[in-house]
Amino acid sequence: MAQRTTLFVNLFVLLTIQLFISGVVSTSFTILNNCDYTVWPGILSNAGVSPLPTTGFVLQKGESKTLTAPTSWGGRFWGRTHCTQDSTTGKFSCVTGDCGSGKVECAGSGATPPATLAEITLDGHGGLDFYDVSLVDGYNIPMMFTPQGGTGQNCTNTGCRADLNDACPSELKVTGVDGGAGVACRSACEAFREPQYCCSGAYGTPDTCKPSSYSEIFKNACPRAYSYAYDDKSSTFTCASVNSYTITFCPSPTTSQKASQPQEGQNTENANPSPHSAGAGSGTGTMIYEGALDEEINGSPSTRPHVLGFQGLAGLISVTLAIWQLWKPFF
């Protein structure tokens, strides 16, 4: 009987370890549409990472949707606007943020610039989540990225509340199908395709690629968002122990806030620049972070505590009870 009890305990321990390894720890993302109009969120997972249950869907005004991502997931979120479906061919397309799939689901395709991007890598170096809101590929919609809880000196909300479509220079402005009001604002890289704007060629390092008059328009309006490729010092954020994030389109106060009225405070915690996705068509890029980044922020590498969530605990109890029922006749 003692041997059977020992075997039962060993099985229990092995199952517990397996549940931890198989990813019972997860992070949820709630996408909220606070705009006065419909938004079609798109999602792209990083290369080599399993996709989320959906890669695109519709949110009417005031609607939200919550998705669960496994440990170490990474990817980007964005909002598509002015979308329609062809009554003859059934093809789905959007004026801004279109992913080119012809459907509401993006199915592995990224956003066509210009598009405001929310990017994140879970459980990165030191167990930290690395996240940002990027205007490197241009801007199409106000967006905020907010951790719910979490710890760390640089763990805070980031994004862009301002309406850059109104303030966009004419040479960067994208207008609607009727040629009227601006619906998006291109990056200088996409508009002019020149190395000094794209941080490429001879301008491919932090020392040679500097902010331009165009990227500074974005930065002045949205101090915490990426405005060009090497804008890491004030635009990369890190958190530990976050169970959920909220991505809000058109965050309050209102979408009519102008670019001359920035609401996000400047943040200069990160001191080590690293290459960010740059230029038009970089929708399949991934964020890159140097290992020393979080050590400079917090003094030493942090570890993210992996605590069993309710689903993992319920699964563990269920499996344990099942094994107990099988072994019960032998005790």
Side-chain angles (χ1 to χ4, degrees):
M1 181 173 177
Q3 289 180 339
R4 291 170 183 163
T5 303
T6 301
L7 179 60
F8 175 77
V9 171
N10 290 338
L11 283 172
F12 180 86
V13 172
L14 288 172
L15 282 168
T16 303
I17 294 172
Q18 177 61 33
L19 282 169
F20 271 106
I21 295 174
S22 62
V24 295
V25 179
S26 60
T27 302
S28 67
F29 293 93
T30 298
I31 301 97
L32 169 64
N33 179 17
N34 200 41
C35 302
D36 293 332
Y37 48 86
T38 304
V39 176
W40 288 260
I43 305 170
L44 177 66
S45 298
N46 290 346
V49 177
S50 299
L52 298 186
T54 179
T55 58
F57 50 93
V58 60
L59 287 179
Q60 303 293 339
K61 174 184 175 181
E63 289 186 340
S64 65
K65 186 179 183 67
T66 299
L67 303 172
T68 300
T71 303
S72 301
W73 182 83
R76 53 180 54 179
F77 304 82
W78 69 96
R80 294 169 288 174
T81 64
H82 303 279
C83 302
T84 57
Q85 187 167 19
D86 189 283
S87 59
T88 303
T89 64
K91 182 180 179 181
F92 178 83
S93 63
C94 303
V95 175
T96 78
D98 188 57
C99 56
S101 66
K103 300 177 181 179
V104 174
E105 292 274 350
C106 285
S109 297
T112 300
T116 312
L117 303 175
E119 306 175 303
I120 189 166
T121 296
L122 300 175
D123 289 316
H125 183 78
L128 296 173
D129 297 346
F130 290 77
Y131 60 99
D132 67 75
V133 168
S134 174
L135 308 181
V136 174
D137 284 351
Y139 167 99
N140 72 326
I141 189 172
M143 179 191 292
M144 289 297 292
F145 204 164
T146 306
Q148 303 300 321
T151 60
Q153 297 178 7
N154 204 27
C155 182
T156 187
N157 65 307
T158 182
C160 183
R161 298 179 188 271
D163 183 356
L164 287 172
N165 292 332
D166 283 353
C168 185
S170 58
E171 59 268 37
L172 304 182
K173 184 171 291 189
V174 177
T175 58
V177 291
D178 58 358
V183 295
C185 191
R186 294 185 294 172
S187 67
C189 174
E190 185 198 358
F192 307 122
R193 305 283 181 170
E194 295 181 4
Q196 65 266 35
Y197 296 125
C198 298
C199 294
S200 60
Y203 298 88
T205 69
D207 292 331
T208 57
C209 190
K210 301 299 182 181
S212 69
S213 59
Y214 293 108
S215 69
E216 287 179 344
I217 294 173
F218 289 173
K219 197 64 178 178
N220 289 336
C222 306
R224 291 186 181 180
Y226 264 92
S227 60
Y228 78 107
Y230 291 103
D231 198 9
D232 304 75
K233 289 184 179 180
S234 60
S235 305
T236 301
F237 296 84
T238 57
C239 281
S241 307
V242 178
N243 293 322
S244 65
Y245 290 87
T246 300
I247 298 166
T248 306
F249 298 117
C250 303
S252 57
T254 66
T255 58
S256 62
Q257 177 189 334
K258 298 299 184 253
S260 60
Q261 300 172 310
Q263 295 294 312
E264 297 82 34
Q266 186 77 284
N267 188 301
T268 56
E269 293 289 341
N270 296 314
N272 222 7
S274 56
H276 191 75
S277 57
S282 63
T284 57
T286 58
M287 294 188 295
I288 303 172
Y289 300 100
E290 295 188 4
L293 182 62
D294 63 289
E295 295 183 27
E296 293 193 7
I297 295 170
N298 296 313
S300 61
S302 301
T303 57
R304 179 179 181 173
H306 284 200
V307 182
L308 276 173
F310 288 116
Q311 282 187 325
L313 185 59
L316 178 60
I317 293 172
S318 297
V319 173
T320 303
L321 288 175
I323 294 177
W324 172 252
Q325 291 298 324
L326 288 173
W327 279 91
K328 196 173 181 181
F330 299 99
F331 285 92

